[in-house]
Each structure stands twice: as C-alpha cells, then as structure tokens.
C-alpha cells in the first residue's frame, strides 16, 4: 500500500511540473486559452526539449533533475493566477489513474529492457556519447520520450520516477479527445465523432501500461493531428497551423518513421497558401519546431553518423566513430524484413535481402501479421455502428470536403507504411484514420 501511495505522490508532483511547464510554454509561444490536456502536451514537449539540449553538455543526473521539479512548481505558485482547485482536481485524477494503470501491470516489456531503460540509464549517467550506436544499434532508434522519462529520476523520486511520464503522456493524449467530447459550446459534430472513435480505439487497444512503446504515443499524436487539421478547415489561422506543425514535429521525434506525417501541414499549407505570408509563417512556434528538429538531427548524427538512422543516404562515413556503410545497410534491411514478418516465413533458406525484394514477404505477412492487424482494426466496426444507431449526423460541405481529401492523404500514408514497414504499431494511426 505504501508503494502505491509513493507512486501517487510522485505522479502528483510530476504532473504539476509538466503542467506548469506547459503553461509557461503556452504563455511564451501562444499566449491564448488552452485546455488542461493541451497544456500537459506542451509541457511534455518543452521539458523534452530542455532535456535534449542539456544532455549535450551534462548528464541528466538525479541532482540536476531536481530542478525539473522545483523550478516549474515555483513558477506555477508565483506567476500563475489560475484556479488552483480545478487544476489540482485534474492532476489528482491523472495521478489516481496512473496508480491504477501501473498497479495492474506485471507483464514483461522486452523493448524497454532491451534498449529503452538502458538508454535512460545512460542519460542519467553521462552527457551525449558520440558513436553510441557502436555499442548497440538499437540506441540509434531512441525516442525523445526516453529523455522526458530520464529527467524524473531524481533524489526525491528515485528511479521510480521514470515510470510516471508514460502514464501522464497517455492520459493527456487521450484526455485531448475526452475534452472534445464533453465540451458543449461551439463543438463541431465531426470533431466529436472523430474524438469518440479515436478515444474508444485507444482505450480498447492501447490501454495496457506494459504495451506502450514509442509507437503508440506517436500514433495517438497523429490522430490528434487529424483533428487539428480539420479545425483549420473550419477556421484557418496561422497560429493553429503552427500548433499542428509542432505536434507533427514531436510525433517525428517520438518515432522517426513518422516523418511522413509532415504531409499534413504541407497539404494545409498548399491549400491556404494565399492566406500566408513568409514573414508571418516564420513565427516563434515554427522556429522552435525547426530548431528542435535540427538539434535532434545533430544528436542522431553524433550518436550514429546518420541524421536519420538507419536511412543510408542520410549517413556520413568519414568519421572515426562512423558505422560502416555495409553495417547501416544491413541494419536497415533487417529492420524492414522484421517488420514484414521475416521470423515467421516458411522458406528458411532465403535471406532477409531477398525476402524483402519483389514482394516475397507478402504471403508470410498476410498469413501471420495481417490477422493481428484485422483483429485490432475491426473493433472500429461496432464503434461506428454505435454512432450510426444513436447519433444522426448530416455532414456539411466543409466536412465532406475534409473527409474526401483526408481519405486520400490517409491512403497515401497507409501505402507508404505498407510498402516499407507494415507492422501494426508503426501504422496504427494511419489505419484507424
């Protein structure tokens, strides 16, 4: 019982720290009204950015990490004249749910043990290590989420602090959809329909703490980007386009494969280019997103000699710590083959290079992993039937245009996913959309 209370207390202070950081970020870059869950998301982005910058020069050690708790809370208490009662009710609710989510789990998490947790330990013990992928190639696949987890290992929380951020991230992302559902004033019916579908899917298929990887959070953030894109159809303004680009950027930093979702802000940009001037487009939010990505790419290069590991054309091989071209190519092909169900293929004499060429992988993938995908995605059918039974919806011209255009965008994303990495956890958000 004492352990559960300890998790609750850690969660309260962690959530308050993230929420306060989000309020600061919002005041600096947006300076407008945002709901509680958006502020949590902003806080996660801002603290991740600080952790990444600091780790270039210092380890994210338990002494330093205390500042990530103390300074945001002091800012909240001194400078924020908000409703403390409402904020703390929501923070306590998230903390109670965090205790429940963690207490119900006792499942082994192989990815976490294989490279997520070891890398967090490295962040806590050392500043950026040049060429770290020579120790293990999976360190080249690290997500920005490992940085946000690392900063909550401090002398107040101990190593248990790293358990809390994944729960807060999940609850804030799904809370975004919940907020759209309960909001009564000026809420578009398509936003509510999409929020209900996306929230239902996340709660049914992504509800286990032990199942969360980097991919789940990137997929949920992609679903949020779909709703943010639709809001731009209803009322285009540059600040909201910048927010969409910020969310797309963070999804990319969570999972490199999600670089393809930049097609969404690009599509919006092309659609409304007449309303955008270059001077207004280069606002502080877009500059922040661009700088964040550049720092991340630099970190990738110093870690692995590739700006986007293990995409071969983004690699430079002239450094003492560089991986060889052959090694990078093998890692890339093995990763693709694994995503295409290579471990379950019947012809054991075929190598992974031949397996991924000429669609040799199709039969094995259809027989094995495709059934897993169907099992998960078909849950959408009863969800949509429930909507059709209980809610009578008549879509407007704007809504129909959005649906038609984003069906094309989603199909294109699904096609790229299918041809390169047809693993459910890589393309879950695309398929749900």
């Amino acid at each position: 019982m004492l352990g559960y209370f300890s998790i609750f207390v850690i969660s309260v202070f962690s959530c308050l720290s993230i929420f306060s950081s989000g309020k600061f970020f919002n005041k600096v870059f947006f300076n407008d009204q945002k709901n509680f869950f958006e502020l949590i998301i902003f806080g996660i982005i801002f603290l991740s950015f600080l952790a990444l910058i600091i780790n270039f020069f210092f380890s994210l050690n338990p002494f330093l990490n205390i500042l990530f708790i103390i300074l945001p809370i002091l800012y909240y208490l001194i400078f924020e004249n908000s409703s403390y009662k409402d904020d703390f009710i929501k923070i306590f609710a998230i903390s109670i749910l965090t205790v429940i989510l963690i207490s119900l789990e006792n499942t082994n998490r192989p990815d976490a043990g294989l490279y997520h947790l070891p890398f967090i330990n490295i962040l806590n013990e050392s500043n950026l290590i040049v060429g770290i992928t020579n120790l293990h190639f999976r360190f080249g696949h690290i997500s920005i989420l490992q940085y946000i987890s690392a900063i909550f290992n401090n002398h107040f929380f101990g190593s248990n602090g790293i358990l809390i951020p994944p729960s807060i991230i999940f609850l804030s992302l799904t809370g975004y959809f919940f907020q759209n559902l309960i909001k009564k004033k000026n809420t578009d019916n398509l936003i509510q329909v999409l929020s209900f579908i996306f929230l239902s899917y996340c709660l049914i298929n992504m509800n286990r703490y032990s199942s969360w990887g980097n991919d789940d959070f990137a997929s949920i953030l992609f679903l949020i980007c779909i709703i943010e894109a639709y809001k731009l159809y209803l009322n285009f303004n540059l600040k909201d386009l910048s927010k969409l680009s910020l969310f797309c950027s963070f999804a990319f930093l969570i999972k490199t494969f999600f670089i393809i979702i930049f097609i969404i802000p690009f599509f919006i940009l092309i659609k409304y280019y007449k309303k955008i001037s270059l001077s207004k487009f280069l606002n502080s939010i877009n500059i922040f997103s661009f700088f964040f990505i550049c720092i991340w790419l630099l970190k990738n290069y110093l870690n692995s000699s590739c700006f986007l590991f293990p995409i071969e054309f983004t690699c430079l091989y002239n450094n003492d710590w560089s991986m060889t071209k052959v090694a990078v190519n093998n890692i890339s092909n093995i990763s693709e083959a694994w995503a295409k169900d290579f471990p379950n293929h019947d012809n054991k004499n075929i190598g992974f290079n031949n397996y991924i060429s000429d669609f040799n992988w199709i039969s094995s993938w259809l027989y094995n992993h495709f059934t897993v995908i169907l099992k998960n995605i078909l849950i959408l059918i009863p969800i949509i039937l429930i909507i059709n039974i209980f809610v009578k919806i008549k879509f407007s011209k704007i809504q129909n245009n959005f649906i038609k255009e984003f069906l094309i965008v989603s199909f294109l994303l699904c096609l790229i996913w299918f041809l390169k990495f047809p693993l459910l956890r890589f393309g879950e958000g695309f398929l749900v959309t």
Side-chain angles (χ1 to χ4, degrees):
M1 198 66 186
L2 185 62
Y4 294 149
F5 180 73
S6 173
I7 292 173
F8 173 78
V9 172
I10 293 173
S11 182
V12 168
F13 281 97
S14 300
C15 193
L16 179 58
S17 168
I18 294 171
F19 175 66
S20 177
S21 300
K23 289 182 79 70
F24 174 79
F25 184 88
N26 180 58
K27 182 170 287 189
V28 171
F29 291 100
F30 291 94
N31 197 28
D32 58 13
Q33 190 70 29
K34 301 294 182 187
N35 68 56
F36 175 84
F37 297 106
E38 282 184 308
L39 292 173
I40 292 284
I41 296 171
F42 288 162
I44 292 164
I45 293 172
F46 184 54
L47 289 179
S48 300
F49 171 76
L50 292 179
L52 176 65
I53 293 288
I54 290 171
N55 189 243
F56 272 81
F57 310 101
F58 306 101
S59 67
L60 300 176
N61 60 78
F63 287 104
L64 177 64
N65 290 344
I66 293 174
L67 296 178
F68 287 102
I69 297 296
I70 293 177
L71 294 182
I73 292 178
L74 286 177
Y75 168 80
Y76 178 80
L77 296 175
I78 296 172
F79 297 105
E80 286 297 330
N81 298 316
S82 59
S83 174
Y84 294 148
K85 181 180 178 181
D86 290 344
D87 292 343
F88 275 97
I89 287 173
K90 293 171 184 175
I91 289 171
F92 280 15
I94 285 181
S95 301
I96 291 170
L97 289 172
T98 294
V99 172
I100 294 171
L101 287 167
I102 292 177
S103 65
L104 291 177
E105 287 305 326
N106 57 6
T107 309
N108 181 35
R109 303 178 66 205
D111 278 356
L114 189 61
Y115 66 104
H116 294 178
L117 295 177
F119 189 79
I120 290 172
N121 186 60
I122 290 171
L123 293 175
N124 290 146
E125 294 183 348
S126 174
N127 62 328
L128 185 144
I129 300 176
V130 176
I132 194 173
T133 48
N134 290 291
L135 295 178
H136 201 303
F137 77 88
R138 285 189 174 86
F139 290 150
H141 297 303
I142 285 303
S143 163
I144 191 67
L145 297 182
Q146 273 71 75
Y147 286 81
I148 190 73
S149 291
I151 62 174
F152 286 98
N153 176 10
N154 57 53
H155 282 294
F156 292 156
F157 302 164
S159 58
N160 284 336
I162 68 175
L163 301 174
I164 306 303
S167 178
I168 295 176
I169 294 170
F170 176 78
L171 293 170
S172 64
L173 294 176
T174 53
Y176 172 95
F177 304 128
F178 180 73
Q179 185 74 34
N180 286 332
L181 285 176
I182 64 173
K183 186 178 178 182
K184 295 180 180 179
K185 282 189 176 181
N186 302 321
T187 303
D188 182 271
N189 60 358
L190 182 57
I191 291 178
Q192 291 186 315
V193 168
L194 290 175
S195 296
F196 178 77
I197 293 172
F198 295 161
L199 178 61
S200 298
Y201 183 87
C202 293
L203 294 181
I204 293 170
N205 281 345
M206 299 179 179
N207 58 18
R208 288 171 49 242
Y209 180 93
S210 62
S211 70
W212 298 334
N214 300 328
D215 319 277
D216 289 332
F217 297 136
S219 288
I220 300 174
L221 196 51
F222 169 77
L223 298 177
I224 290 176
C225 288
I226 294 296
I227 294 178
E228 288 295 323
Y230 174 60
K231 289 179 180 179
L232 287 166
Y233 270 64
L234 296 175
N235 180 29
F236 178 83
N237 65 83
L238 198 53
K239 189 173 284 189
D240 285 343
L241 177 59
S242 299
K243 182 172 73 168
L244 171 63
S245 299
L246 175 67
F247 286 167
C248 288
S249 299
F250 198 63
F252 160 67
L253 297 174
I254 293 174
K255 193 70 179 179
T256 303
F257 180 70
F258 277 73
I259 191 173
I260 63 177
I261 73 169
F262 280 106
I263 191 176
I264 298 176
F266 181 74
F267 179 78
I268 300 290
L269 193 63
I270 296 300
K271 186 177 179 67
Y272 295 101
Y273 75 95
K274 291 182 179 179
K275 297 183 178 182
I276 302 172
S277 64
L278 181 61
S279 59
K280 290 183 179 179
F281 181 74
L282 295 176
N283 57 36
S284 59
I285 308 166
N286 287 333
I287 292 172
F288 173 84
S289 298
F290 178 75
F291 183 65
F292 200 170
I293 290 174
C294 287
I295 294 297
W296 183 256
L297 295 178
L298 176 61
K299 185 274 304 180
N300 286 349
Y301 171 69
L302 293 174
N303 281 168
S304 66
S305 72
C306 300
F307 291 101
L308 295 174
F309 182 83
I311 302 176
E312 195 175 320
F313 73 85
T314 70
C315 303
L316 301 175
Y317 302 102
N318 55 350
N319 301 295
D320 292 339
W321 44 269
S322 298
M323 300 185 74
T324 66
K325 188 173 183 179
V326 173
V328 172
N329 184 62
N330 283 340
I331 292 168
S332 177
N333 290 341
I334 290 172
S335 299
E336 183 176 344
W338 195 269
K340 293 177 175 176
D341 215 42
F342 181 75
N344 293 319
H345 77 288
D346 294 328
N347 186 359
K348 302 302 180 183
N349 294 321
I350 188 174
F352 56 85
N353 288 314
N354 290 329
Y355 178 76
I356 62 176
S357 63
D358 299 325
F359 291 97
N360 292 323
W361 54 273
I362 285 287
S363 59
S364 177
W365 181 83
L366 285 173
Y367 185 77
N368 294 291
H369 194 67
F370 182 62
T371 59
V372 176
I373 293 173
L374 284 180
K375 180 181 176 182
N376 283 268
I377 298 300
L378 288 180
I379 192 63
L380 291 169
I381 293 178
I383 294 173
I384 294 171
L385 285 175
I386 290 171
I387 293 174
N388 282 326
I389 292 171
F390 293 101
V391 183
K392 300 300 180 183
I393 302 171
K394 192 173 183 179
F395 290 132
S396 66
K397 184 178 179 181
I398 293 177
Q399 292 171 329
N400 279 320
N401 287 340
F402 171 80
I403 291 169
K404 290 174 183 176
E405 291 173 9
F406 268 78
L407 275 174
I408 297 172
V409 171
S410 298
F411 176 77
L412 179 60
L413 293 172
C414 286
L415 183 62
I416 297 171
W417 163 81
F418 174 74
L419 293 175
K420 292 302 295 180
F421 292 97
L423 203 61
L424 174 64
R425 59 190 179 89
F426 279 24
E428 203 161 6
F430 311 151
L431 294 169
V432 169
T433 304

